[in-house]
Amino acid sequence: MSKHRRKLTSEDILNLEVFSDPQFTPDGQAFTYVSTTINDKKDYQSQLFYQSLNDNNAIPWTFDNDKNTHLRFSPDGKRAVFQSTRSGLPQLWLINTDGGEAQQLTTFKHGATNPTWTKDGQFILFSALLENDDDIHNQQEMTKEEKQKIKSAKQEHPLVVNRLKYKSDAKGFHDNKKTQIIRMNIQDGSVTQLTQADTDYAFQDISPDGKTVLIAANLNDEADQELSNDLYLLDIATQKMNKLTTKNGSYQQASFSPDGSKIACFGHDFAYKGATLTELYIFDCQSLEQTCLSTNWNFQLGDAMIGDTRLGTSETGPTWNQDGSTIFFIATREGATELHQIELTANHQVLYSDDNHVFGFTYDVVNDQLILGISTPTDPCNFYLLNEDLSLSQLTNGNKTVKDQIAFEKPETLWIKTEDNVEIQGWLIRPYHFTEGKKYPMILEIHGGPHAMYGQTFFFELQLLAAQGYVVLYTNPRGSHGYDQHFVDACRMDYGGGDYHDVMQAVNHAVQMYSFIDKDRLGVTGGSYGGFMTNWIVGHTNCFKAAVTQRSISNWLSFYGVSDIGYFFTEWEHGLNLLDDPSKLWEISPLKYAADVETPLLILHGENDYRCPIEQGEQLFITLKHLKKEVEFVRFPEANHELSRSGKPNMRIERLNHICRWFEKYV
């Protein structure tokens, strides 16, 4: 750490630039990407940038305060389509790559998203929210006044609910709109609706000949009771839909091989419910035969890294190479994500691994090269060209001013062996301006999921606590991704058991290993599952001076019925539903142990959190307050479960300030 750099503050989150979605140009000589920043504390803005591989000058292609994302080049590279909110909702826009103003392509009432070109450049396929009786040939985006009128009209009538899946944290209360796949003729602007049924369709890919659309959906009669989804091949000419998958499972990120003869996808069969490791499948488009390429692997495919500054989406695979012999993908292992490749002959190779976070990549089919998006604990994001010798050449210099001015601390990796011989990985960050011989308080951070992973990525909250003078400890207890199937499954049916002992033994290990940690000044915090564990900890030990529980679970009995996932998550994680054995759910509910809580507890919760609804925080607060415990409740207006990651910027800052305030007061 450079001594001349100042310490981080909560307001510095306003100055971060977050990169995502790298895309090679069709000739492979340049690439584009999305840069997301915060606009005046109120909202986010995303701009499109173009950069040649021959220089480091990124050229902005958009300049407004809107969200411009998902740029995709036409096959000849002369045009590009992207989605933008400049008209109000996300709509599709077309731009000539040699310059000029963008032309609006769609004015759909509820927006249009995720455009993809056919290989001949004649059509664009995209997704749009539609009601059953919507006419796609007569679509106009609503004005602000029209939207307000509809909103007011809804408030005059009760909401009639007749489905199990009637709400979600991302969307709020569901309505009759469904995501459909639309095809647009780029020459005359005419549109054709390719899907019709009363369900949501997730576009996956279009075949190289442009005749078949690859779609993910659940078309079963019991779809409202299921979490599975299948892959379908839709023949555009005949409208015939052929089911590709045969097993009950979840399949996604599917793509055609360059010759259209095969399909690669991620998926799994729920063998371990939500703890099931993802597999890599190949389907033969003629015989529909399914092959699993990852049978002997024991790690998670895709990106399972948790952070609080990852805005925007990026490709994680599976992605075919130019001749269809090899597939590229990201893998999650031991606190890092890596770039792998697998040949159809099953020859598997790690192309890039350097103990950091590969959050996305793009592949150039012309020159057979790759650009990686990488984040480290001290660098939010940058893009790199992967050279033939598998070394990296840095292409961008994102957040240079921030990194020049502010000190970010590099974590130390720990491995802790528990009493039952389970190895737990963790990290420790030393405080800003660390001085040998001085004692420091320590904060334990616990991630959500529980099937997710802490690791070597940029994490603003962790860096902020280190800047405030705390040692920061964070771990991957049993149940975390990045390890083998047994480990990821190990916390199910045992919440508050082995996982609790893992984090507590990690604390004891750190205190014994590092003499600069003041064992009498410890704090703990976590969100979602980490909030549950924080609640559990303060009900079972008094070793922490203060705790901050975020978007937490306190009562599994009520969680079953109020959470958007409660009705299945309870069975997945605990092995029973509410009526099977309510006493067992009460035994593992932190609320039961409220009378034993002596640790000052700050409860942070979003008002619109449907994943871990605010009544979970409210029950805990009222119970502790009634017991005259030291507790405080902070409710964030209009915030859902994603408050810490993509919530309103001013609310994210407020949240960070409350965390720092509580620990400063009590630790």
Side-chain angles (χ1 to χ4, degrees):
M1 184 204 65
S2 298
K3 295 291 185 181
H4 71 276
R5 294 190 178 101
R6 68 172 175 84
K7 70 178 183 179
L8 186 70
T9 71
S10 61
E11 295 275 334
D12 287 318
I13 202 168
L14 300 173
N15 302 317
L16 290 183
E17 185 177 23
V18 181
F19 294 161
S20 62
D21 197 24
Q23 295 289 318
F24 265 113
T25 55
D27 61 8
Q29 299 303 306
F31 71 104
T32 61
Y33 62 91
V34 176
S35 172
T36 301
T37 55
I38 292 174
N39 179 22
D40 196 28
K41 288 190 180 182
K42 297 176 182 178
D43 202 357
Y44 302 92
Q45 60 183 23
S46 298
Q47 307 301 345
L48 302 172
F49 284 83
Y50 168 95
Q51 183 172 322
S52 170
L53 295 185
N54 298 321
D55 61 57
N56 295 325
N57 295 320
I59 301 171
W61 273 9
T62 56
F63 303 89
D64 48 51
N65 293 328
D66 301 302
K67 296 179 179 69
N68 303 283
T69 59
H70 201 89
L71 182 139
R72 297 296 182 266
F73 287 99
S74 61
D76 61 10
K78 295 181 179 179
R79 294 176 293 182
V81 63
F82 64 98
Q83 64 187 55
S84 176
T85 60
R86 61 188 66 185
S87 67
L89 289 174
Q91 301 285 0
L92 303 190
W93 296 70
L94 187 70
I95 189 171
N96 292 324
T97 55
D98 59 0
E101 291 294 323
Q103 169 193 351
Q104 187 168 356
L105 293 179
T106 63
T107 57
F108 272 63
K109 183 178 180 180
H110 305 294
T113 59
N114 302 321
T116 299
W117 293 83
T118 54
K119 299 299 186 288
D120 59 9
Q122 294 184 33
F123 299 95
I124 290 173
L125 281 79
F126 61 92
S127 301
L129 278 174
L130 297 174
E131 297 187 44
N132 286 335
D133 57 352
D134 277 346
D135 179 2
I136 65 166
H137 304 291
N138 185 28
Q139 287 280 314
Q140 290 295 323
E141 184 175 335
M142 292 184 292
T143 64
K144 290 183 179 179
E145 291 74 21
E146 289 172 328
K147 293 175 187 176
Q148 184 58 47
K149 185 177 180 180
I150 291 176
K151 183 178 179 180
S152 299
K154 285 183 177 180
Q155 294 173 345
E156 296 177 1
H157 301 280
L159 176 67
V160 178
V161 177
N162 50 33
R163 291 180 293 169
L164 182 61
K165 301 175 185 175
Y166 77 93
K167 65 179 180 180
S168 64
D169 189 65
K171 296 181 180 179
F173 292 126
H174 295 180
D175 51 30
N176 294 323
K177 296 188 289 290
K178 301 293 183 181
T179 301
Q180 306 292 344
I181 310 301
I182 313 296
R183 185 178 71 165
M184 172 180 284
N185 186 317
I186 199 66
Q187 296 301 320
D188 59 17
S190 60
V191 289
T192 303
Q193 185 173 336
L194 301 181
T195 56
Q196 306 288 337
D198 185 24
T199 190
D200 289 301
Y201 291 93
F203 173 82
Q204 303 291 295
D205 200 8
I206 178 74
S207 61
D209 63 10
K211 296 179 180 180
T212 306
V213 182
L214 180 57
I215 297 169
N218 187 332
L219 300 180
N220 300 330
D221 292 337
E222 296 296 321
D224 190 42
Q225 298 279 338
E226 299 174 342
L227 295 167
S228 60
N229 70 289
D230 293 294
L231 295 179
Y232 291 88
L233 294 172
L234 171 65
D235 185 291
I236 295 177
T238 65
Q239 284 289 290
K240 183 179 179 180
M241 190 96 75
N242 289 322
K243 189 177 179 181
L244 188 63
T245 47
T246 57
K247 296 181 179 179
N248 178 51
S250 177
Y251 303 89
Q252 65 279 333
Q253 293 171 260
S255 61
F256 283 101
S257 61
D259 65 1
S261 66
K262 295 180 177 61
I263 289 169
C265 78
F266 287 154
H268 65 73
D269 60 1
F270 296 112
Y272 299 87
K273 306 301 182 182
T276 311
L277 292 181
T278 299
E279 304 283 6
L280 174 58
Y281 296 104
I282 301 295
F283 293 88
D284 185 282
C285 291
Q286 292 299 318
S287 67
L288 302 187
E289 180 183 356
Q290 174 181 319
T291 304
C292 181
L293 293 182
S294 54
T295 302
N296 297 320
W297 302 347
N298 212 356
F299 54 86
Q300 177 67 351
L301 307 186
D303 180 5
M305 186 80 75
I306 281 184
D308 61 355
T309 51
R310 269 285 92 223
L311 298 166
T313 59
S314 296
E315 176 66 55
T316 63
T319 299
W320 296 88
N321 75 335
Q322 55 193 190
D323 64 6
S325 64
T326 302
I327 294 169
F328 305 108
F329 61 93
I330 287 174
T332 295
R333 297 201 297 183
E334 296 187 355
T337 58
E338 312 161 330
L339 183 71
H340 292 217
Q341 72 172 27
I342 177 74
E343 297 175 4
L344 295 191
T345 57
N347 180 32
H348 174 224
Q349 179 184 357
V350 180
L351 289 182
Y352 174 77
S353 175
D354 194 23
D355 201 22
N356 51 33
H357 179 198
V358 180
F359 60 78
F361 67 91
T362 181
Y363 173 68
D364 167 24
V365 297
V366 174
N367 303 296
D368 192 29
Q369 58 185 349
L370 290 141
I371 289 175
L372 311 185
I374 296 175
S375 173
T376 75
T378 59
D379 184 1
C381 52
N382 267 303
F383 293 117
Y384 299 80
L385 182 69
L386 185 65
N387 300 311
E388 289 187 11
D389 63 359
L390 302 184
S391 64
L392 296 179
S393 295
Q394 186 169 340
L395 299 174
T396 58
N397 196 8
N399 297 290
K400 181 181 185 305
T401 302
V402 171
K403 290 184 292 184
D404 285 346
Q405 295 177 353
I406 300 171
F408 295 120
E409 313 299 330
K410 187 176 181 180
E412 305 169 36
T413 302
L414 309 175
W415 285 97
I416 303 105
K417 181 167 283 191
T418 66
E419 293 174 352
D420 55 348
N421 291 317
V422 176
E423 278 202 311
I424 303 300
Q425 188 179 19
W427 294 266
L428 183 139
I429 303 177
R430 300 191 183 205
Y432 175 74
H433 278 187
F434 173 79
T435 304
E436 291 287 353
K438 184 178 177 180
K439 288 280 191 179
Y440 293 92
M442 185 178 78
I443 306 299
L444 169 67
E445 285 265 5
I446 307 171
H447 70 62
H451 311 299
M453 183 185 76
Y454 272 147
Q456 299 283 42
T457 191
F458 185 81
F459 208 122
F460 191 92
E461 180 180 325
L462 306 184
Q463 292 289 337
L464 179 63
L465 288 172
Q468 295 292 310
Y470 300 102
V471 176
V472 182
L473 174 67
Y474 50 112
T475 68
N476 285 330
R478 66 193 74 190
S480 304
H481 267 312
Y483 312 92
D484 63 32
Q485 181 64 82
H486 176 75
F487 186 93
V488 179
D489 188 52
C491 74
R492 290 200 310 135
M493 324 304 171
D494 190 37
Y495 275 38
D499 50 358
Y500 166 64
H501 293 293
D502 288 349
V503 294
M504 294 308 298
Q505 287 182 59
V507 170
N508 293 335
H509 174 87
V511 168
Q512 293 170 12
M513 183 174 179
Y514 297 98
S515 60
F516 54 79
I517 297 174
D518 187 341
K519 64 181 178 61
D520 295 321
R521 298 179 64 199
L522 305 177
V524 59
T525 185
S528 197
Y529 163 82
F532 156 80
M533 186 54 66
T534 299
N535 296 340
W536 185 263
I537 284 172
V538 297
H540 288 79
T541 179
N542 295 326
C543 77
F544 293 96
K545 291 293 184 183
V548 180
T549 184
Q550 308 174 49
R551 56 192 186 281
S552 71
I553 299 165
S554 66
N555 185 352
W556 290 109
L557 294 167
S558 62
F559 179 85
Y560 171 88
V562 297
S563 168
D564 65 341
I565 63 172
Y567 57 91
F568 71 84
F569 190 86
T570 308
E571 191 275 329
W572 276 12
E573 294 297 303
H574 304 311
L576 72 162
N577 291 314
L578 175 66
L579 299 181
D580 294 338
D581 190 351
S583 63
K584 185 175 180 180
L585 287 179
W586 182 239
E587 286 295 320
I588 56 173
S589 294
L591 191 64
K592 178 185 176 181
Y593 308 95
D596 299 322
V597 174
E598 300 297 334
T599 308
L601 182 65
L602 175 64
I603 302 171
L604 306 181
H605 226 113
E607 295 280 4
N608 294 347
D609 190 333
Y610 291 156
R611 183 61 39 84
C612 297
I614 197 167
E615 61 86 31
Q616 293 286 305
E618 194 163 24
Q619 286 188 71
L620 186 59
F621 171 74
I622 291 298
T623 303
L624 292 174
K625 199 67 178 175
H626 190 222
L627 292 169
K628 300 182 179 179
K629 305 289 185 176
E630 191 66 34
V631 63
E632 190 173 305
F633 191 21
V634 181
R635 305 170 65 121
F636 293 86
E638 300 182 12
N640 65 9
H641 201 63
E642 295 300 305
L643 168 64
S644 66
R645 297 179 279 262
S646 59
K648 290 184 178 180
N650 62 324
M651 289 294 103
R652 291 176 69 187
I653 293 172
E654 289 271 8
R655 170 188 160 274
L656 292 167
N657 287 339
H658 279 295
I659 294 171
C660 293
R661 170 183 66 84
W662 195 256
F663 286 138
E664 182 179 3
K665 181 177 180 180
Y666 289 103
V667 177

